[in-house]
């Protein structure tokens, strides 16, 4: 599994980054949940997102204990709430409504449908 790039706060890249990050974190089978959260948060950085990360860590990370008061699932939920591209999801749903199968091209239709379904969340 290739190491993902950092997420810089760009909502249009969040869904792809999240998918890559979930696969990357899954390779650390022996890691604790706190370690996985710390690893995840280390890949969330950049001028557009550093303030959010710092505020989130100040609120949910105990530096003395090295632990988080959140589960990994909850951290993903919190990131989803802020960085999911709702405009992109809406546009994908609209494209799904307009998608039509051309004669003799069923495989292309299903590939496009699956892509749009993923983009729509």
């Amino acid at each position: 599994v290739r190491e993902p790039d950092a997420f810089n706060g760009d909502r249009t890249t969040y869904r792809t980054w999240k998918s890559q990050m979930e696969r990357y974190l899954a390779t650390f089978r022996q890691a604790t949940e706190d370690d996985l959260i710390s690893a995840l948060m280390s890949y969330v950085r950049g001028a557009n997102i550093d303030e959010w990360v710092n505020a989130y860590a100040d609120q949910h990370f105990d530096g003395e204990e090295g632990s988080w008061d959140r589960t990994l699932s909850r951290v993903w939920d919190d990131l989803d709430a802020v960085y999911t591209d709702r405009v992109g999801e809406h546009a994908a749903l609209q494209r799904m409504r307009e998608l039509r199968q051309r004669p003799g091209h069923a495989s292309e239709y299903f590939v496009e449908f699956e892509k749009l379904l993923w983009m729509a969340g």
Side-chain angles (χ1 to χ4, degrees):
V1 174
R2 185 176 84 78
E3 183 177 356
D5 293 330
F7 175 64
N8 65 4
D10 180 354
R11 286 179 175 84
T12 64
T13 65
Y14 176 71
R15 184 177 299 279
T16 298
W17 173 81
K18 179 182 178 183
S19 177
Q20 293 169 351
M21 195 68 204
E22 286 175 325
R23 291 190 308 274
Y24 182 69
L25 292 176
T27 65
F28 298 98
R29 298 185 193 280
Q30 302 300 318
T32 67
E33 189 156 57
D34 286 326
D35 291 340
L36 292 174
I37 295 169
S38 292
L40 167 63
M41 296 305 281
S42 74
Y43 283 87
V44 181
R45 63 180 179 269
N48 297 326
I49 199 168
D50 283 343
E51 287 183 31
W52 184 89
V53 171
N54 291 335
Y56 194 84
D58 287 348
Q59 188 173 15
H60 301 292
F61 182 69
D62 182 341
E64 290 181 22
E65 297 290 323
S67 63
W68 293 85
D69 69 358
R70 293 281 200 248
T71 64
L72 182 58
S73 177
R74 179 66 188 268
V75 173
W76 279 122
D77 289 346
D78 293 342
L79 281 164
D80 290 349
V82 177
Y83 292 104
T84 296
D85 182 11
R86 304 292 179 207
V87 172
E89 285 182 347
H90 180 73
L93 282 172
Q94 185 63 33
R95 287 175 53 200
M96 284 178 74
R97 288 185 194 106
E98 297 167 359
L99 185 64
R100 300 289 181 262
Q101 181 179 339
R102 296 182 317 202
H105 294 90
S107 62
E108 291 175 13
Y109 173 82
F110 287 112
V111 167
E112 183 68 10
F113 181 82
E114 289 291 325
K115 180 181 86 172
L116 291 172
L117 186 64
W118 182 78
M119 291 170 60

